[in-house]
Amino acid sequence: AALARGTGTDLIAVDAPAVDTSHNAAATYSLRSSPSGAAIWTTLTAVVSPYDLSALASNTAIDVQILATNTAGSSPWSATAR
């Protein structure tokens, strides 16, 4: 997953790989975010790409992780993007 901060706003665009239901690839994504280092996660399910997190506190670092799910189950949470 790629993480890009919006310009001029407190907006983060998270661009997960495209959903591909063939070849047992990811069918859905979940996203979680937390103030950086706090590990107080807010989790969103059925996230489509790209997804914009808004209403974030100004000048606050945010940790973001992605989880993919397919017919075999769910992946572990991704490495943290800041």
Side-chain angles (χ1 to χ4, degrees):
L3 177 68
R5 189 158 185 77
T7 57
T9 65
D10 293 322
L11 184 72
I12 298 173
V14 178
D15 188 17
V19 171
D20 176 6
T21 56
S22 62
H23 309 102
N24 212 21
T28 63
Y29 292 99
S30 296
L31 176 148
R32 67 182 185 179
S33 62
S34 170
S36 187
I40 302 169
W41 298 102
T42 299
T43 302
L44 303 165
T45 58
V47 173
V48 296
S49 177
Y51 185 83
D52 292 327
L53 287 172
S54 58
L56 302 174
S58 295
N59 299 316
T60 302
I62 301 293
D63 294 343
V64 176
Q65 296 178 339
I66 301 285
L67 174 140
T69 302
N70 66 13
T71 57
S74 296
S75 70
W77 287 101
S78 68
T80 300
R82 294 190 168 112

